[in-house]
Amino acid sequence: PDGQLFILTTNFRDNLDAALIRNGRVDLHVQFTHASSDQVKTLFAQFYPSAPEGKADEFEGAVSKLLGDRKVNMAGLQHFFVTHRMCTPEEAIAGVQSILDDLNEKQGEKARTEEEGKEGKGKDAKGKDGKGTDGKGKKGGKAKGGKGGSGGKAAGGGTVNVFINTGAAAPAEDGGCEDEDDDEDDEEE
């Protein structure tokens, strides 16, 4: 039908059947890579549109200096800005350490997950041995003509964790910056 878009996302493009992603079925392939310096500046400017000129460059420089050869993706940057939404541009620039802290935390989680996978003797949550069998030598099912899915495993054999925000959860971290306007609004009511 006209006027409809279908979006297909995957972390494992090579596991998809070629017929699924051939021309005519998937017309545009977009790879999300790590943030470029221009993207870092642009995202800063979008979250701080009234920031003085040059602050986006200052922020990008602080991030580049802090991370060195490490890279951050756009989702990581957006998380930083959302958690620092009540900060001034200067406070956000001073708080870039939290980007590195988040990267280190995620790297630690990945290492723990991989270690847990090794301790579980290669079995996933369903008791399968990770080799396409059910632990008793019986083959698990695969999609016809496909290479099979990730079976709940992330690249590297770790378990995929899914978190769902229902809106009733605790409020997001604010990055340590306070919104002075909230106090004034409370007094008016």
Side-chain angles (χ1 to χ4, degrees), residues 38-109:
D38 286 340
Q39 288 174 317
V40 172
K41 293 177 202 176
T42 300
L43 200 57
F44 179 90
Q46 288 175 342
F47 275 88
Y48 297 102
S50 60
E53 192 169 325
K55 287 295 180 183
D57 291 325
E58 187 179 339
F59 177 80
E60 188 279 326
V63 170
S64 294
K65 182 179 178 183
L66 177 71
L67 296 181
D69 290 338
R70 293 182 74 181
K71 303 288 182 190
V72 64
N73 59 31
M74 292 297 285
L77 280 177
Q78 181 171 329
H79 173 74
F80 170 82
F81 287 121
V82 168
T83 59
H84 288 75
R85 66 190 176 280
M86 301 300 180
C87 296
T88 65
E90 293 78 15
E91 290 170 330
I93 292 168
V96 295
Q97 177 65 40
S98 67
I99 296 172
L100 182 60
D101 294 344
D102 283 344
L103 285 174
N104 290 336
E105 182 180 331
K106 292 197 183 338
Q107 186 176 18
E109 288 173 4

